Amino acid sequence: MNGVLRVSKGTIAVFVLPCLLFYLAFVFAPILVSVYYSFMEWSGMGEAKFIGLENFIVMFTQDAVFWPSVLRTLYISVFSLMQIPIAVVVAILLSRYVRRANFLVSSYFLPVILSVVVIGQLWKAIYNPAALGGMLNKLLTSIGLESWTRTWLADPDIAIFALCFVIFWQFIGYHVLIQFTGVQNISSDIYEAASIDGAEGFKADRYITLPLLAPVIKISVVLAVIGSLKAFDLIVVMTGGGPADSTQVISTHMYLMTFNSFKYGYGSAISTFLVVFCLVMTVLLNWMFKRAEASAS
Amino acid sequence: MKKRRTLTMIMSTVLAITLTACGGSNGGGSASENGATNTPAANQNKENITITFQTLQTDKSAPQYQVEEEIANNYMAENPHIKIEWDRLDIEQQKVKLKTQAASGEVADITMVNPGAQLQPFADGKVLAPLNDMLDDELKGTFLEGVLDYYTFDGNVYALPYNMNIAGIFYNKELFEQAGVEPPATFEDIIASVPKFKEAGIPAMMVAGKDRWPLSFMFTNILQRVNGGPKFLDDVVAGNKQFTDPVFVEAIAKLQELIQAGGYQEGAATYDYNTTSQQFRDGIGAMYYMGTWEISTIDSSEKVAGKIGFLPFPTVGGKGNASDFVIAPGTAYALGANSKHLDESKAFLKYLLLNYPKVAFEKKAAVGLAQKVEGDMKAAGYSDLAIEAMALFNEVQGGDMNFDNVIEPATTQTHLNGLQGLLVKEADPAALAAEHQKTWEANK
């Protein structure tokens, strides 16, 4: 490569620098600042006091909301992962049986470009108690399943799953689009060759589509997991972390601690944890993919 | 009506989120160009100035909105070089935005704060400007006795309130008749009336459980009754009492009793304040515990105007005195300490407050002001509800501020979440009280 395509360092710098500077200034620097504040006791105003690892100790050992919120974050990740097999199946079916699939794919994609606030209000209208015009409860009542009606967002055992479902609904189109593009990119020559060898339909999917789709699936998995670790806006709009902290995830807990309890330092500690948690998850996922690839070949 | 409300809600939330994200630019000194054309010669040499005014008034139909806007428009007409720029946010969003701005040192020229413990961090953090120098006798004389104390720390007044309210139970006379229930004289009456309302298909009480503070608001009143008088929370702050005190535990148990009896509407934990108030004004729900600020909007509602009565919170278990009230010494205007136009902001704020009682009286919003009001309410066409409530103001003997105005923010969060939890799941009152005490000791 080196001899063929010689690009001067200056040229590389011109292309890379603007983006890098933005990244350093707006992503990296704030992370460092929040790591710095995570060692402080600070109300957001006035003097900050250095307290070492105190925030982290409290977070890991005394905060009754923290670990459940980590667990709920993982719930959302697992739910988001369940989107992917469905998205793959939908993508395969679309590319095989639908002649002009673009319309359908765009329709599935629609919720992704809607504002989260709009989606939150929409689903609140669906989940609301019947007295507030909740569609789901009204539907259940009208088909005689009155015993199934719930106050979906106010029942602490159910609320988090009600939210998971909305996230599932919102992003499935995104993954369908990614997988659909992946399927389309597989050359038809391979399928033709396979059909001569007697592999058609699901057999072809098993031995051709899935292995060739692996890199694309990997992208989807990383996006789904990291995206759900950062889940925040939808939860704030729909439940605000309530009732009684039962839908609190890491990011909403951080937000409430910082802005409602005036504990800027503690909030920074939680966000530092979130950054590290995201990094660890990414490394873990990559390691799992590598292992899977190694065992496949 | 409903459609518009949802739309406003969406709009304000979207706005708040975008604004919070941007940290809000104050746009100090951005001169309006077309202002120059209609500027009188006298003001020609003055520099054009924009004052940012962060307000909680988002509902154009509310009299409080119109009062502020009218006075600001008058001021701009008299002082053409001043431009007032509104930053309208709902209550919860504004709290967050103000804290974000305080952390980054970019507080609006004029903003709004709550008294007591909620104001203290801003005062301690030197985020707000002391207002002593603008409080001359003329302005000071317009305020009710003692109301400024809630906004004073170390001899400095940090904010000037425009309202001061008492809380009680609004009840819908029509629905009471429909269910065959008499207005409650005791807390036990309320609980006993729940089955009757249920039979008639009416929620006995409404509460905005999603926003949490309305529940705490009524809880503070229960606590006041169980305690036999006000100042339980002040005793906690002074170190004379603890949250584990039997009085506090009993107050939680009483609230839980009401919840377990089905006293609140179904799914109460999903209702926000705007929705709940609107539903009560739509004639859903027989009782609504809220502050007297609701009166002007109730009076302007088509459905329930004239059918609503106002009761002091009743005795609980025979304890307490109905002349003690939970008092909300309001929301107050404060000025950012780093404002580039501090002097101009002070001048405007003074003008605003000097005119506030008069304009509010004309807009039929004179109930629950922090300032003295002159004029004959009956002749001015005020409703019976407003006059009834005004009369109660004179009977107030003792008062408590709401929990979050007395107790520091972290314990308040434990408190609010704990009470919200009671709406969805039965809990042990003693354990919840112990949790209060634990957070309090860690943060006081």
Side-chain angles (χ1 to χ4, degrees):
Chain A
M1 274 298 260
N2 273 345
V4 187
L5 254 178
R6 183 160 296 152
V7 184
S8 76
K9 289 222 168 89
T11 318
I12 294 177
V14 167
F15 280 97
V16 173
L17 262 186
C19 214
L20 184 71
L21 286 179
F22 264 100
Y23 179 79
L24 288 178
F26 294 109
V27 179
F28 203 66
I31 289 178
L32 285 186
V33 171
S34 80
V35 169
Y36 169 75
Y37 279 124
S38 69
F39 298 114
M40 302 284 177
E41 186 184 328
W42 185 42
S43 69
M45 288 162 270
E47 290 295 303
K49 194 175 109 203
F50 183 81
I51 52 166
L53 290 173
E54 180 70 27
N55 281 332
F56 291 93
I57 294 168
V58 170
M59 181 166 88
F60 289 133
T61 60
Q62 288 162 33
D63 186 342
V65 182
F66 178 72
W67 286 114
S69 69
V70 173
L71 188 69
R72 272 179 225 115
T73 309
L74 291 175
Y75 279 163
I76 297 179
S77 304
V78 171
F79 255 81
S80 304
L81 282 177
M82 280 156 55
Q83 293 174 335
I84 294 163
I86 299 174
V88 171
V89 171
V90 171
I92 291 175
L93 293 179
L94 276 179
S95 61
R96 184 172 306 151
Y97 296 113
V98 183
R99 189 149 302 161
R100 288 211 176 77
N102 281 348
F103 173 74
L104 279 178
V105 173
S106 316
S107 315
Y108 295 145
F109 193 70
L110 198 63
V112 182
I113 54 168
L114 282 181
S115 150
V116 177
V117 180
V118 174
I119 289 177
Q121 294 293 348
L122 173 73
W123 278 90
K124 257 166 81 179
I126 294 175
Y127 282 141
N128 267 337
L132 261 183
M135 280 185 242
L136 181 56
N137 283 339
K138 278 196 169 160
L139 182 76
L140 286 171
T141 313
S142 70
I143 56 172
L145 287 172
E146 198 148 4
S147 59
W148 287 21
T149 56
R150 295 274 184 288
T151 49
W152 301 99
L153 292 174
D155 188 328
D157 301 323
I158 301 176
I160 186 69
F161 298 105
L163 288 175
C164 284
F165 184 79
V166 179
I167 294 172
F168 188 93
W169 172 84
Q170 187 189 357
F171 287 106
I172 187 128
Y174 187 52
H175 296 292
V176 167
L177 179 76
I178 294 175
Q179 300 306 326
F180 181 71
T181 319
V183 174
Q184 295 278 296
N185 281 341
I186 299 173
S187 158
S188 57
D189 301 356
I190 305 176
Y191 289 106
E192 281 161 21
S195 77
I196 294 168
D197 292 336
E200 260 180 303
F202 289 106
K203 210 166 186 183
D205 289 333
R206 164 73 185 80
Y207 292 103
I208 299 170
T209 319
L210 283 184
L212 288 176
L213 213 51
V216 187
I217 293 177
K218 181 174 151 182
I219 294 174
S220 267
V221 168
V222 173
L223 286 176
V225 171
I226 301 303
S228 51
L229 292 182
K230 295 189 296 188
F232 173 76
D233 32 16
L234 193 77
I235 295 171
V236 169
V237 174
M238 290 185 70
T239 65
D245 288 329
S246 65
T247 54
Q248 213 76 267
V249 295
I250 303 177
S251 52
T252 55
H253 185 42
M254 170 207 48
Y255 172 85
L256 289 179
M257 275 296 157
T258 312
F259 293 110
N260 280 5
S261 300
F262 275 111
K263 292 173 158 184
Y264 236 93
Y266 190 64
S268 298
I270 301 177
S271 66
T272 305
F273 172 83
L274 184 57
V275 170
V276 174
F277 195 61
C278 283
L279 285 177
V280 169
M281 288 300 268
T282 316
V283 172
L284 207 68
L285 283 175
N286 274 328
W287 176 76
M288 273 159 45
F289 279 122
K290 275 215 180 98
R291 244 181 55 144
E293 273 165 33
S295 67
S297 56
Chain B
M1 195 66 192
K2 194 166 175 186
K3 202 166 148 200
R4 204 201 65 210
R5 195 178 69 232
T6 324
L7 195 71
T8 341
M9 251 158 60
I10 297 175
M11 293 291 284
S12 55
T13 322
V14 173
L15 190 72
I17 287 175
T18 13
L19 288 175
T20 320
C22 302
S25 61
N26 279 0
S30 75
S32 65
E33 274 141 17
N34 51 4
T37 50
N38 47 17
T39 303
N43 286 319
Q44 206 96 70
N45 51 353
K46 283 189 189 165
E47 189 195 350
N48 284 357
I49 281 168
T50 303
I51 295 177
T52 328
F53 190 158
Q54 193 171 72
T55 178
L56 298 172
Q57 308 307 337
T58 51
D59 180 1
K60 226 174 179 151
S61 66
Q64 289 86 349
Y65 181 109
Q66 297 161 10
V67 174
E68 266 179 16
E69 192 164 55
E70 184 174 323
I71 299 176
N73 286 343
N74 289 345
Y75 190 75
M76 285 191 277
E78 286 172 30
N79 302 279
H81 66 291
I82 303 265
K83 183 168 178 267
I84 313 267
E85 203 171 83
W86 300 97
D87 178 12
R88 300 187 183 279
L89 299 158
D90 73 25
I91 300 172
E92 293 300 314
Q93 311 292 358
Q94 190 265 350
K95 282 186 182 167
V96 172
K97 184 168 178 186
L98 179 59
K99 284 170 197 169
T100 318
Q101 289 178 322
S104 62
E106 290 183 20
V107 177
D109 297 313
I110 302 179
T111 184
M112 289 195 178
V113 291
N114 290 115
Q118 290 197 56
L119 172 60
Q120 190 154 20
F122 295 106
D124 291 349
K126 310 249 175 286
V127 170
L128 301 175
L131 305 176
N132 300 21
D133 55 340
M134 64 175 280
L135 258 181
D136 52 17
D137 290 340
E138 187 196 4
L139 183 57
K140 209 169 190 171
T142 67
F143 285 98
L144 293 177
E145 200 65 36
V147 68
L148 292 179
D149 295 349
Y150 298 110
Y151 298 92
T152 307
F153 296 95
D154 302 326
N156 286 326
V157 180
Y158 284 97
L160 298 171
Y162 61 93
N163 61 8
M164 151 126 175
N165 288 277
I166 56 175
I169 297 175
F170 290 96
Y171 68 104
N172 188 323
K173 293 172 186 165
E174 204 174 55
L175 296 183
F176 267 70
E177 223 162 88
Q178 210 176 309
V181 179
E182 290 293 309
T186 63
F187 186 69
E188 291 66 33
D189 285 350
I190 297 180
I191 294 182
S193 70
V194 171
K196 286 186 200 160
F197 281 118
K198 257 203 181 133
E199 216 168 283
I202 303 163
M205 266 198 154
M206 304 287 288
V207 71
K210 185 179 182 238
D211 285 352
R212 307 180 301 173
W213 64 263
L215 193 58
S216 161
F217 205 28
M218 184 164 129
F219 170 79
T220 311
N221 223 152
I222 298 179
L223 178 65
Q224 190 183 53
R225 294 286 176 271
V226 174
N227 191 41
K231 304 297 172 210
F232 178 88
L233 294 174
D234 300 74
D235 281 341
V236 171
V237 173
N240 301 330
K241 278 187 180 151
Q242 294 199 322
F243 283 114
T244 45
D245 192 287
V247 165
F248 194 77
V249 177
E250 192 189 337
I252 298 177
K254 287 289 176 190
L255 178 66
Q256 174 146 282
E257 203 182 311
L258 175 67
I259 292 169
Q260 291 297 323
Y264 290 120
Q265 82 273 26
E266 193 203 347
T270 57
Y271 283 61
D272 60 30
Y273 166 68
N274 286 335
T275 310
T276 319
S277 290
Q278 183 67 44
Q279 292 239 314
F280 184 72
R281 289 201 296 272
D282 286 347
I284 299 163
M287 289 176 269
Y288 187 35
Y289 180 91
M290 208 19 84
T292 40
W293 61 76
E294 288 291 319
I295 289 175
S296 55
T297 39
I298 286 176
D299 281 342
S300 58
S301 130
E302 291 157 28
K303 268 241 169 89
V304 297
K307 297 173 192 162
I308 304 292
F310 184 72
L311 289 172
F313 197 76
T315 56
V316 180
K319 282 184 267 187
N321 174 358
S323 298
D324 293 334
F325 282 88
V326 170
I327 294 176
T331 321
Y333 299 110
L335 304 180
N338 295 331
S339 164
K340 280 184 198 142
H341 308 297
L342 193 54
D343 291 333
E344 288 84 355
S345 301
K346 278 182 180 166
F348 167 67
L349 184 55
K350 191 170 172 187
Y351 179 90
L352 175 69
L353 285 165
L354 285 176
N355 286 289
Y356 204 98
K358 199 173 111 298
V359 179
F361 187 81
E362 286 162 8
K363 301 258 183 224
K364 299 230 178 85
V367 179
L369 294 190
Q371 292 163 290
K372 293 167 194 157
V373 181
E374 282 157 20
D376 183 350
M377 293 181 74
K378 192 118 202 163
Y382 275 81
S383 70
D384 291 344
L385 175 63
I387 295 169
E388 221 172 276
M390 260 322 226
L392 279 180
F393 272 83
N394 299 325
E395 286 173 25
V396 177
Q397 286 174 2
D400 274 313
M401 280 198 286
N402 196 15
F403 192 99
D404 56 358
N405 290 327
V406 185
I407 304 297
E408 60 82 38
T411 313
T412 296
Q413 289 308 313
T414 307
H415 168 73
L416 294 175
N417 280 340
L419 291 192
Q420 193 189 37
L422 295 181
L423 283 178
V424 293
K425 216 180 216 167
E426 208 169 342
D428 175 14
L432 183 53
E435 205 183 316
H436 277 77
Q437 183 63 23
K438 200 177 123 202
T439 330
W440 171 248
E441 273 164 20
N443 292 290
K444 69 180 169 184

